[in-house]
Amino acid sequence: MTTPIALTIAGSDSSGGAGIQADLKTFAALGVYGASVITALTAQNTMGVRGIHQVPAEFVTAQIDAVFSDLAVGAVKIGMVAELSIIDAIATGLKRWSPKYVVFDPVMVATSGDRLLAAEAVDALRTKLIPLASLITPNLPEAAALLDESMASDEAAIERQGRRLLALGCQAVLIKGGHGQGSESTDYLVAADSTIVLSAPRINTANTHGTGCSLSSAIAAELAKGEDMASAVRNAKRWISAAIEAADRFTVGHGHGPVHHFHRFY
């Protein structure tokens, strides 16, 4: 029996709700063995980010090579990458090891509103990481920032932005609608020959810390298990919706609490 393995390349969240910690919880919850490459340490909690300590680029490279030289990685999720040198290290490592699937979540701003990506690094995301991605998963503000446009406000504008992002070289784009309005949260999976609309009831909770991290890692987990892209995204969307719905079972912190990664178990 082959063990499905997924790798997260992201920053650490000291409060455990997002980043590396959320990704590893997601992998475990979905029956996938998780490995990690840490790009940054953050001092943060549910109320905000107090500090960021970057991992040297050469050590990011060392982690990537250590994992790929030993583990049969089925899918990679990329999260927080805040510096140009780290973006270069990841891009070089992915080209060297050629994983089958790369899910890239272009994290720019934390749930608390704290900026996690230097402005000068945005162009490097466009030119160096997006072309290597099987799927990118921006939310509405991130999609707009990547394109230097205003945030899309209707379905036609969202699909248009999705197609512009496709033109940057990735294979598919999932534009997440959590920042939208209305009773449903609607995501748009845009590929070369199709657009799939995925809707779920909008859940009234403040406990959404790590939602984007967890969704992208859930997609990577499903891909590592052998699902095709559309099925992986559908399964991950159902799972994250349930995790958000169960978030209020927790009392964690005084700000934006975490989603419930293990809602299926307790």
Side-chain angles (χ1 to χ4, degrees):
M1 184 179 70
T2 302
T3 300
I5 299 172
L7 168 65
T8 169
I9 304 175
S12 169
D13 172 7
S14 53
S15 69
I20 288 284
Q21 288 84 345
D23 296 341
L24 293 176
K25 289 175 184 177
T26 300
F27 295 160
L30 294 172
V32 171
Y33 182 87
S36 64
V37 169
I38 297 177
T39 61
L41 307 178
T42 66
Q44 70 173 294
N45 55 31
T46 63
M47 294 183 288
V49 179
R50 299 185 178 185
I52 300 174
H53 178 71
Q54 300 294 340
V55 173
E58 60 270 20
F59 198 73
V60 171
T61 295
Q63 294 176 79
I64 290 172
D65 290 345
V67 172
F68 276 104
S69 65
D70 185 37
L71 277 60
V73 175
V76 175
K77 173 262 170 79
I78 305 173
M80 177 186 173
V81 288
E83 287 193 346
L84 292 174
S85 61
I86 292 174
I87 292 171
D88 285 337
I90 294 169
T92 300
L94 293 179
K95 289 176 183 176
R96 180 162 57 251
W97 293 103
S98 300
K100 183 176 181 180
Y101 293 110
V102 175
V103 178
F104 176 35
D105 183 22
V107 180
M108 298 181 185
V109 179
T111 302
S112 59
D114 294 288
R115 189 172 184 87
L116 299 173
L117 180 71
E120 62 269 17
V122 176
D123 190 57
L125 296 188
R126 295 188 191 104
T127 60
K128 296 180 178 181
L129 288 184
I130 288 179
L132 300 176
S134 311
L135 175 73
I136 64 171
T137 62
N139 57 32
L140 288 168
E142 289 163 348
L146 286 168
L147 296 170
D148 287 327
E149 294 184 0
S150 299
M151 193 171 87
S153 58
D154 58 51
E155 184 170 332
I158 292 170
E159 184 169 1
R160 185 167 58 250
Q161 288 193 347
R163 304 227 162 261
R164 284 200 64 200
L165 290 168
L166 271 184
L168 296 177
C170 56
Q171 296 174 32
V173 179
L174 180 68
I175 298 184
K176 301 173 295 188
H179 287 74
Q181 304 296 319
S183 61
E184 291 193 325
S185 175
T186 302
D187 301 341
Y188 295 82
L189 177 60
V190 182
D193 56 356
S194 66
T195 297
I196 298 174
V197 180
L198 302 165
S199 295
R202 191 175 298 278
I203 298 162
N204 184 22
T205 177
N207 296 325
T208 55
H209 186 53
T211 303
C213 302
S214 301
L215 175 61
S216 57
S217 54
I219 296 169
E222 293 296 308
L223 292 169
K225 290 192 291 187
E227 296 289 348
D228 61 60
M229 183 62 72
S231 296
V233 171
R234 290 182 191 278
N235 292 347
K237 170 83 169 176
R238 283 192 292 268
W239 177 83
I240 194 63
S241 295
I244 297 169
E245 188 172 19
D248 289 347
R249 296 183 202 168
F250 285 145
T251 304
V252 177
H254 298 86
H256 293 284
V259 302
H260 193 346
H261 295 90
F262 296 103
H263 57 272
R264 292 176 175 174
F265 306 100
Y266 67 91

